[in-house]
Amino acid sequence: MKGLVLSVFITMCGLPASAQSSLQETLDEYHMFNHLDASVTLGTTGIGFDLATPVTNYAQLRVGYSFMPSFHKSMYFGVQVGDTPENKYDANGNRVETKFEKMARVLKQVTGYEAQDEVEMIGRPLYHNLKVMVDVFPFQQDKRWHVTAGFFLGPSKIAEAYNSTEAMPSLLAVGVYNSFRERTLASYEEGWPYPPVISVAGWDLTDEKIIEELAKRFQSYGRMGMRVGNFDDGSTYLMEPGDDGMVRASMKVNAFKPYLGIGYGGRLLKNNDRFHIAVDLGAMFWGGSPRIVTHEGVDLTRDVSDISGKVGDYVRLAKIFKVMPVLDVRFVYNIF
């Protein structure tokens, strides 16, 4: 097998016979391409496989592919009307109706859909990379230790979150409310034509007094959306559905990610040189903190603060880790 691989390599170089002989001697002298290892990897980079071959007495070239298995994680955003969250209970513990609940009741009459005061977001990883590594063995008398340098190359979007199917009625209600609010305010403030409906939930929209009353109410209530956090100027970020009625967020890093690490390996089975195990510990450099960008173009890691709940925990974690810790275990089989 080794001879066949070397013959193919030399032939591909297109060298004359004398040069082929010289190249063969050089490859033999420095133990280049004299064996090939295949391995399965498990760890923080996901599941993958590698192929490795020596390139000098002191180093081997390792190339491979890894991916993160798909799984889903639910997160929740609260829905509110206006910038200020409302309490459902007064100081005496009595249940009170919030502005959202008032509008949700109206939207139920108008659309037939029941809006909930929270929206479920489903997060999932989209993480996979090609990798090219060079393992250097600094101790010739003990090649169990190695130092590794290389890079991972993959899509810049490594995770995404999107609303669940169950959240669609609430998102539809948010879109309907904001659209109706804008058209009512435009009719009242700018003299635009009234909305192309004549009655909504018992309100006669051909009556200027009703339009005025609705406009003042909408003005005091504010827009409806999912409260995410606060902008730098102190205003509230209320995320609203896009033109397709969906809300999304993507986590992004650099596509090219350098890697540095150390490792230790040895026989997996006693008196068997075919099977080995190796452990690699290092860091994948993202080129700065990951960015978490919503469908509205807002970067949650840079533009928004005071994000609550699990979403806030994920954003704070993303800010901390400017590199990704790597701990991989490789199960190696020597092909030849």
Side-chain angles (χ1 to χ4, degrees):
M1 175 68 75
K2 179 179 70 174
L4 176 62
V5 172
L6 290 177
S7 298
V8 171
F9 174 77
I10 293 173
T11 302
M12 290 178 63
C13 292
L15 301 176
S18 59
Q20 290 183 17
S21 176
S22 176
L23 178 59
Q24 178 73 64
E25 292 174 359
T26 300
L27 294 177
D28 291 339
E29 178 182 357
Y30 291 99
H31 305 285
M32 297 176 68
F33 309 113
N34 66 350
H35 71 262
L36 181 68
D37 291 337
S39 59
V40 175
T41 63
L42 300 171
T44 57
T45 60
I47 301 172
F49 61 88
D50 293 353
L51 290 174
T53 187
V55 290
T56 71
N57 284 329
Y58 299 90
Q60 70 174 3
L61 175 66
R62 181 159 50 91
V63 296
Y65 171 81
S66 61
F67 68 96
M68 187 65 67
S70 180
F71 62 89
H72 297 84
K73 181 68 175 178
S74 292
M75 302 167 284
Y76 295 88
F77 287 104
V79 181
Q80 69 183 49
V81 178
D83 292 344
T84 306
E86 293 184 284
N87 199 322
K88 296 181 179 180
Y89 299 89
D90 62 19
N92 298 320
N94 299 316
R95 185 71 165 84
V96 294
E97 189 176 44
T98 64
K99 290 184 290 187
F100 169 81
E101 291 170 329
K102 293 176 183 177
M103 291 298 99
R105 187 177 66 251
V106 173
L107 290 169
K108 173 67 173 177
Q109 296 172 335
V110 175
T111 66
Y113 292 104
E114 185 172 349
Q116 302 296 323
D117 59 359
E118 66 177 11
V119 167
E120 180 187 23
M121 297 283 289
I122 299 173
R124 64 169 183 165
L126 300 171
Y127 194 64
H128 58 96
N129 291 283
L130 296 172
K131 53 184 173 181
V132 177
M133 303 290 168
V134 175
D135 299 316
V136 177
F137 304 94
F139 310 116
Q140 282 299 288
Q141 302 305 317
D142 186 357
K143 289 193 174 183
R144 292 174 296 179
W145 291 96
H146 59 269
V147 179
T148 303
F151 63 87
F152 290 82
L153 182 65
S156 59
K157 185 165 76 170
I158 63 173
E160 68 175 1
Y162 52 90
N163 62 267
S164 66
T165 302
E166 291 75 13
M168 289 303 297
S170 295
L171 295 176
L172 174 63
V174 171
V176 169
Y177 169 85
N178 288 331
S179 177
F180 184 52
R181 178 179 182 272
E182 288 180 0
R183 289 155 60 192
T184 302
L185 291 176
S187 296
Y188 174 66
E189 296 175 354
E190 302 179 25
W192 287 16
Y194 293 150
V197 290
I198 61 174
S199 179
V200 172
W203 290 319
D204 181 6
L205 300 187
T206 63
D207 188 327
E208 292 186 10
K209 291 184 178 180
I210 296 295
I211 288 291
E212 181 179 1
E213 179 184 345
L214 283 176
K216 290 180 179 179
R217 186 178 301 183
F218 280 137
Q219 190 68 55
S220 64
Y221 281 4
R223 297 182 68 83
M224 183 184 292
M226 287 137 285
R227 188 184 191 283
V228 179
N230 298 321
F231 289 114
D232 293 338
D233 61 4
S235 62
T236 300
Y237 174 34
L238 290 180
M239 184 167 58
E240 300 179 18
D243 293 338
D244 59 358
M246 301 278 289
V247 289
R248 298 183 178 87
S250 300
M251 178 180 284
K252 298 181 178 181
V253 297
N254 288 344
F256 179 82
K257 299 170 281 288
Y259 171 84
L260 288 175
I262 60 173
Y264 181 85
R267 288 176 178 171
L268 183 61
L269 302 173
K270 186 177 181 180
N271 300 323
N272 190 322
D273 289 329
R274 286 285 188 179
F275 296 93
H276 292 76
I277 186 172
V279 178
D280 292 288
L281 177 65
M284 181 191 304
F285 295 89
W286 279 331
S289 300
R291 293 166 289 124
I292 302 177
V293 183
T294 71
H295 65 283
E296 296 174 311
V298 177
D299 188 341
L300 301 184
T301 58
R302 292 167 172 80
D303 304 331
V304 184
S305 60
D306 301 324
I307 303 174
S308 60
K310 289 185 178 180
V311 178
D313 294 338
Y314 295 146
V315 172
R316 285 186 287 273
L317 191 64
K319 290 181 179 180
I320 294 173
F321 286 102
K322 300 182 184 299
V323 300
M324 177 179 175
V326 173
L327 176 60
D328 282 349
V329 179
R330 289 186 285 123
F331 299 92
V332 185
Y333 174 72
N334 176 236
I335 298 177
F336 64 83

